[in-house]
């Protein structure tokens, strides 16, 4: 059985993230990187969409959740996105990294990574 690896790179969204008063009043940029593993099975032979993991559906759920949400901690936001990535039963592994650009004065960004495996 072959493992497919889907990578979603630099998904740029805006959300409310942080617990300082100025962070709670305005949306900030976040950059999301996702890696999802699943057994490829028949899809690479048959070219049948029903055998593949639909990354567009997952991405739309992530976009809606992130843009409509308010999060105090980067940990919570990352955990929520990871959970959405792992909803399909065929997912065997997922990794999510979310960057919060300009979170620190002298750094490009602060990021957090969480992983899941079944």
């Amino acid at each position: 059985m072959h493992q497919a690896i889907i990578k979603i790179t630099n998904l740029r969204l805006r959300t409310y993230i942080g617990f300082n008063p100025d962070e709670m009043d305005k949306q900030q940029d976040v950059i999301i990187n996702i890696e999802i593993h699943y057994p490829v099975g028949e899809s690479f032979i048959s070219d049948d969409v029903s055998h593949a993991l639909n990354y567009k559906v997952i991405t739309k759920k992530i976009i809606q959740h992130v843009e409509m949400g308010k999060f105090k901690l980067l940990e919570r936001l990352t955990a929520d996105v990871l959970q959405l990535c792992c909803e399909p039963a065929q997912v065997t592994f997922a990794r999510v990294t979310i960057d919060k650009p300009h979170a620190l004065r002298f750094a490009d960004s602060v990021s957090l990574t969480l992983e899941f495996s079944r």
Side-chain angles (χ1 to χ4, degrees):
M1 175 101 27
H2 295 84
Q3 283 286 315
I5 301 172
I6 295 172
K7 290 185 179 184
I8 300 168
T9 306
N10 295 335
L11 178 62
R12 298 175 194 282
L13 302 175
R14 294 186 60 73
T15 193
Y16 294 96
I17 178 78
F19 50 86
N20 294 322
D22 60 320
E23 294 175 313
M24 297 171 78
D25 291 336
K26 65 175 185 169
Q27 288 188 318
Q28 298 179 64
D29 295 328
V30 291
I31 302 169
I32 303 173
N33 286 280
I34 298 167
E35 182 175 316
I36 301 171
H37 298 215
Y38 74 100
V40 74
E42 297 287 323
S43 62
F44 77 99
I45 296 169
S46 66
D47 202 27
D48 185 349
V49 175
S50 67
H51 293 134
L53 187 67
N54 192 333
Y55 56 84
K56 189 172 183 179
V57 169
I58 295 169
T59 303
K60 282 184 176 184
K61 286 181 182 180
I62 291 167
I63 291 168
Q64 180 179 6
H65 184 77
V66 171
E67 290 186 339
M68 300 305 291
K70 288 190 171 198
F71 309 92
K72 290 181 183 172
L73 297 174
L74 192 54
E75 290 85 345
R76 171 62 189 267
L77 173 58
T78 307
D80 285 2
V81 171
L82 182 63
Q83 181 179 356
L84 291 169
C85 292
C86 298
E87 281 181 356
Q90 67 262 50
V91 172
T92 58
F93 174 86
R95 177 183 296 122
V96 172
T97 300
I98 300 184
D99 283 84
K100 184 178 171 185
H102 315 296
L104 295 174
R105 184 173 176 193
F106 297 110
D108 291 338
S109 70
V110 171
S111 67
L112 181 80
T113 300
L114 291 175
E115 295 180 353
F116 165 87
S117 61
R118 232 192 282 254

